[in-house]
Amino acid sequence: MNTPAPSECPLPRDRYTNREISWLDFNARVLASAEDPRTPLLERVKFLAIFASNLDEFYMVRVAGLKRRQSMGLLARSADGLTAAEQLAVINEKAQGLVHRHIACFTDDVLPALRAEGIDIISHAQLSDPEKERMDAYFRQKVFPVLTPLAVDPAHPFPYISGRSLNLAVVIREPGSKLERFARVKIPPNVDRFVGLGGDRFLPLESLIEANLDGLFPGMEVVAHHPFRVTRNADLDVEEDRDEDLLQALERELARRRFGPAVRLEVTDTMDQKTLDLLTREIDIDPGDVLVVPGLLDLSSLWAIFAVDRPDLKDDPYVPGSPARLAKGDSFFDVLRGGDVLLHHPYDSFATTTQKFIEQAAADPHVLAIKQTLYRTSGDSPIVQALISAAEAGKQVVVLGEIKARFDEEANISWARALERAGCHVVYGIVGLKTHCKTALVVRQEGGSLRRYCHIGTGNYNPKTARLYEDLGLLTADPDVGADLTDLFNVLTGYSRQQQYRKLLVAPHGVRSGLIERIEREAEHARSGREAHIIIKSNHIVDEASIDALYRASQDGVRVDLVIRTNCSVRPGVPGLSENIRVRSIVGRFLEHSRVAYFRNAGEPEIFIGSADLMHRNLDRRVEVLVRVDDQYAKTRITRMIRRLMDDDIIGWDLQPDGTWINSADRSDGVMVDAQVEQIQRIGTGA
């Protein structure tokens, strides 16, 4: 009997880790950056704020989705075999532990360190008498007029509590009476959460309101007051097949979002059980979805503290430049006719590269058309303004505006309408799909022919996030890429159903199959004794088909290196399954956001960059684009970058076979290197 090759044997059922727990592990790595005393102090404050914002979004989307499945009685299990109810139980337990770590880091470590540097957050009771008088006057003038205490009694039903709002549960009674009544006071979101006391000292707004509750309930006795906060389901469910006008459907669904069901209730550990019972009952939330916080609620507002002007407590400032070929000031079109240009943000300036490319195209009299996809951008984006200028100058401007980009829907509707008013052709996505690709096509008249210039990237056309997110972009005049983008825009704006391209892999039809085909090719190289190596850098990898292909390649001897920032369902280093797979996560000053797929291909490397993560939503329900990078200099730069991230002296988190993550800096006796700092230094020296 012939013994089957390892890659032909059935794969074990427990080969995936849980996606939701993997995400919580990622946020724990963010929290670890706040806990790390080697991180500059105000950067630690920033990471505390990011952790809180991340957890908010996780509950608003991922937990909300699980609760919806549970309420609908859906029996589908996660890839690791857990039901929705089982996942929710594990999530709540793990999240509670992280929340306690989070507040302990702030209260016991970061806050005393800030205080030592003259930056302080204090309660109203800690103010001096003159400060109390000044702050109470501020309350009467700036805060009291916008407060609306809402009573709860037979004539006043329990008020609606909006998502992510900070509130006070106030218990009052008439003097001499034992009958207690409940009232809710919303902390106004349009007043600074941290009120400046002068210098770098701050008073939480809720503390100021608590100290002045007598003014809200004159003649009544304030028995108790407790902050609380509700998180609601914020995932949209637009019925595209039913609605003829996608824009109107989305606007209607946005109006519903604020009334989504509650998925989390945050309370302080000082809240009494009677008040807590009332809140859980009236908000209609399960006691298991209550997170008890032993300190301040909503630390996402710590961005106000991070904004303190203390550069000595932050990362050294970095001013990005431009690639040498673009820094000379020549026309981008002249430069690109001489070869491709690889961009690496934020090390390369977005304003002087990608943005300038669109601005030059808008101003160039020989440019006939600009076609661009926009997923997330700022309302005052210079790129939007450039496209408006191009349309007003008579150029054909086509914009695929993805108005369904989560949490940016309202902003996207606003700029999309501004583009329409200027005469741009705006297409609001494809029914059933989100358009997530990052592409721009410029058509230019040159002599008696037309030439196409292109940009394809891994990040959004957003000048603000481009300073914070690590991303790659390719500027090219390659005729094949230009022809591919022309075909793609015909798909996006018309009725073309093209699925095959020259140098692009395009989801939902071609990314998964294209990558798996190349993974299997590496396995064949390994079986034949040829060079075989796969490196994938992605935000997430949870797609089972892609993971299984990597497992089988590992079994055939392919070295597989994965740089995964957030969700990872791979179990690396498992005997008989994934001995040749390593997984690393980089958490640093910039958000690692670029997506790269490298295949050694028997000594003839093939490299793709683009917008797609290895997730079901990206591969099946989005329009995504990966472009093959053929320019040799660009390939060398990308290869050096992604290989360096896996080196033992680079600070990162290494995933273990049992699903735990270990910080490489904590287990090494040698000198460890921050890859992002090294990249800044390399660009600074021109290396």
Side-chain angles (χ1 to χ4, degrees):
M1 179 182 295
N2 294 327
T3 302
S7 62
E8 297 174 353
C9 296
L11 297 172
R13 295 183 61 183
D14 63 348
R15 60 191 184 275
Y16 310 119
T17 60
N18 183 271
R19 168 182 172 169
E20 318 304 345
I21 302 306
S22 176
W23 187 94
L24 288 172
D25 287 340
F26 156 69
N27 214 26
R29 298 194 291 278
V30 173
L31 178 56
S33 295
E35 295 169 328
D36 190 343
R38 294 167 293 193
T39 303
L41 183 55
L42 284 176
E43 301 295 335
R44 298 176 70 184
V45 171
K46 177 189 75 176
F47 280 115
L48 287 170
I50 292 172
F51 172 92
S53 297
N54 285 350
L55 197 59
D56 280 351
E57 185 170 332
F58 176 71
Y59 271 87
M60 292 161 66
V61 178
R62 297 303 308 170
V63 171
L66 287 171
K67 293 183 79 66
R68 184 169 59 248
R69 284 168 50 193
Q70 183 185 35
S71 66
M72 295 173 64
L74 298 178
L75 301 178
R77 294 176 179 267
S78 61
D80 64 334
L82 297 180
T83 65
E86 290 169 334
Q87 290 183 82
L88 287 168
V90 175
I91 286 169
N92 285 336
E93 181 180 0
K94 192 174 183 70
Q96 185 69 72
L98 288 174
V99 165
H100 277 264
R101 271 180 58 187
H102 183 230
I103 196 66
C105 176
F106 172 68
T107 303
D108 301 337
D109 192 359
V110 171
L111 191 55
L114 288 171
R115 192 168 293 133
E117 292 288 347
I119 304 171
D120 207 356
I121 301 174
I122 61 176
S123 68
H124 188 276
Q126 294 173 293
L127 299 178
S128 66
D129 289 341
E131 286 177 329
K132 287 180 179 178
E133 291 180 7
R134 182 161 55 89
M135 285 297 99
D136 292 346
Y138 173 87
F139 171 82
R140 292 189 295 271
Q141 296 169 9
K142 303 290 186 180
V143 182
F144 180 80
V146 298
L147 294 179
T148 305
L150 296 176
V152 176
D153 58 31
H156 301 84
F158 192 89
Y160 176 80
I161 309 297
S162 54
R164 289 191 291 178
S165 64
L166 190 58
N167 304 270
L168 291 178
V170 184
V171 180
I172 58 175
R173 65 186 174 202
E174 294 186 11
S177 171
K178 293 183 179 181
L179 178 62
E180 295 182 345
R181 300 186 181 277
F182 176 89
R184 173 260 194 157
V185 177
K186 181 177 180 178
I187 307 299
N190 53 354
V191 179
D192 290 341
R193 167 73 188 285
F194 293 108
V195 182
L197 294 167
D200 293 327
R201 298 170 66 245
F202 300 90
L203 171 68
L205 181 57
E206 63 268 33
S207 181
L208 176 60
I209 295 173
E210 287 170 335
N212 287 274
L213 285 174
D214 288 345
L216 288 174
F217 303 98
M220 301 292 288
E221 178 185 351
V222 177
V223 179
H225 47 78
H226 306 284
F228 71 96
R229 186 170 181 261
V230 174
T231 309
R232 295 189 176 276
N233 182 340
D235 209 13
L236 296 179
D237 184 18
V238 182
E239 297 182 32
E240 300 178 57
D241 294 332
R242 189 193 71 187
D243 291 282
E244 186 174 306
D245 191 324
L246 180 60
L247 185 63
Q248 291 180 357
L250 184 65
E251 288 181 315
R252 182 175 59 252
E253 192 64 25
L254 282 171
R256 293 177 185 164
R257 171 189 275 173
R258 60 186 298 264
F259 297 105
V263 295
R264 178 181 62 166
L265 171 63
E266 296 171 273
V267 302
T268 63
D269 59 354
T270 59
M271 180 175 287
D272 61 89
Q273 190 61 47
K274 183 178 179 181
T275 303
L276 179 58
D277 290 343
L278 183 146
L279 289 176
T280 55
R281 181 178 67 253
E282 296 292 347
I283 295 171
D284 190 22
I285 195 164
D286 189 276
D289 296 317
V290 176
L291 285 183
V292 180
V293 181
L296 280 178
L297 298 183
D298 188 18
L299 293 189
S300 63
S301 57
L302 286 177
W303 284 106
I305 307 303
F306 175 76
V308 167
D309 187 18
R310 286 290 301 273
D312 56 311
L313 302 179
K314 299 181 182 181
D315 288 325
D316 293 336
Y318 171 64
V319 179
S322 299
R325 291 178 56 213
L326 297 180
K328 298 176 183 178
D330 297 334
S331 161
F332 276 36
F333 307 115
D334 293 340
V335 171
L336 294 181
R337 284 194 296 272
D340 298 350
V341 175
L342 181 72
L343 308 175
H344 195 186
H345 306 300
Y347 313 106
D348 294 325
S349 167
F350 180 84
T352 62
T353 58
T354 307
Q355 176 183 317
K356 190 174 181 181
F357 170 64
I358 302 299
E359 290 173 337
Q360 282 194 3
D364 191 312
H366 300 294
V367 168
L368 305 180
I370 303 173
K371 301 182 181 183
Q372 186 160 8
T373 59
L374 292 177
Y375 188 73
R376 299 184 194 275
T377 190
S378 56
D380 56 350
S381 169
I383 284 184
V384 171
Q385 297 306 312
L387 294 173
I388 289 174
S389 297
E392 291 173 343
K395 295 175 171 58
Q396 183 186 70
V397 178
V398 177
V399 178
L400 195 294
E402 184 45 81
I403 56 174
K404 292 173 287 182
R406 183 178 288 139
F407 302 126
D408 281 328
E409 298 95 345
E410 293 183 63
N412 287 3
I413 289 172
S414 176
W415 57 250
R417 284 184 162 151
L419 289 167
E420 283 185 321
R421 288 193 295 270
C424 300
H425 302 290
V426 182
V427 180
Y428 296 109
I430 298 177
V431 172
L433 299 173
K434 281 187 179 181
T435 303
H436 188 247
C437 54
K438 328 296 182 183
T439 58
L441 172 66
V442 173
V443 182
R444 191 171 188 263
Q445 181 78 47
E446 296 183 0
S449 62
L450 298 180
R451 186 185 291 268
R452 290 172 286 205
Y453 297 87
C454 311
H455 174 271
I456 297 178
T458 69
N460 298 307
Y461 292 104
N462 189 319
K464 295 179 180 178
T465 58
R467 294 192 291 268
L468 304 172
Y469 288 18
E470 179 272 338
D471 273 304
L472 292 169
L474 184 71
L475 288 168
T476 181
D478 185 316
D480 284 343
V481 176
D484 278 348
L485 282 190
T486 299
D487 291 340
L488 175 64
F489 275 101
N490 288 340
V491 171
L492 295 175
T493 62
Y495 287 111
S496 169
R497 291 296 177 261
Q498 179 163 330
Q499 297 182 11
Q500 298 298 318
Y501 297 85
R502 303 156 188 83
K503 291 188 176 180
L504 302 185
L505 299 178
V506 179
H509 303 291
V511 173
R512 179 190 286 112
S513 59
L515 292 178
I516 289 179
E517 176 185 329
R518 287 160 177 82
I519 292 169
E520 292 174 344
R521 184 184 62 190
E522 292 298 304
E524 174 59 31
H525 288 322
R527 289 193 297 268
S528 301
R530 295 187 290 268
E531 296 177 70
H533 185 197
I534 298 170
I535 309 175
I536 294 177
K537 183 176 185 292
S538 180
N539 296 322
H540 318 281
I541 179 168
V542 298
D543 179 63
E544 293 88 355
S546 303
I547 293 172
D548 284 354
L550 292 172
Y551 282 150
R552 295 193 184 281
S554 170
Q555 292 172 336
D556 283 326
V558 180
R559 176 183 162 198
V560 179
D561 291 326
L562 304 176
V563 184
I564 310 298
R565 189 193 73 218
T566 309
N567 292 323
C568 180
S569 294
V570 177
R571 292 187 182 274
V574 177
L577 175 67
S578 55
E579 291 103 326
N580 294 311
I581 299 180
R582 293 190 303 158
V583 179
R584 169 164 285 187
S585 178
I586 305 292
V587 178
R589 172 177 181 174
F590 306 125
L591 182 80
E592 291 287 331
H593 194 252
S594 64
R595 292 92 163 186
V596 181
Y598 167 94
F599 304 95
R600 182 61 180 160
N601 193 27
E604 298 182 4
E606 192 173 23
I607 298 174
F608 289 85
I609 66 171
S611 58
D613 291 312
L614 297 183
M615 306 180 75
H616 297 284
R617 71 182 188 193
N618 299 84
L619 304 180
D620 298 325
R621 301 190 299 276
R622 290 184 174 186
V623 179
E624 304 276 11
V625 168
L626 300 182
V627 61
R628 193 179 73 211
V629 179
D630 289 338
D631 179 85
Q632 190 55 52
Y633 177 67
K635 290 173 69 173
T636 299
R637 280 188 60 196
I638 293 172
T639 302
R640 179 177 64 180
M641 182 265 286
I642 57 179
R643 283 183 169 174
R644 182 69 178 122
L645 294 178
M646 297 302 299
D647 286 345
D648 290 339
D649 65 333
I650 290 294
I651 298 172
W653 293 82
D654 297 314
L655 182 58
Q656 306 304 300
D658 64 357
T660 60
W661 293 84
I662 296 179
N663 191 333
S664 61
D666 292 337
R667 64 178 185 179
S668 174
D669 296 329
V671 177
M672 300 298 292
V673 179
D674 184 311
Q676 295 181 352
V677 172
E678 183 179 73
Q679 180 69 12
I680 290 173
Q681 294 170 343
R682 178 182 293 120
I683 290 179
T685 59

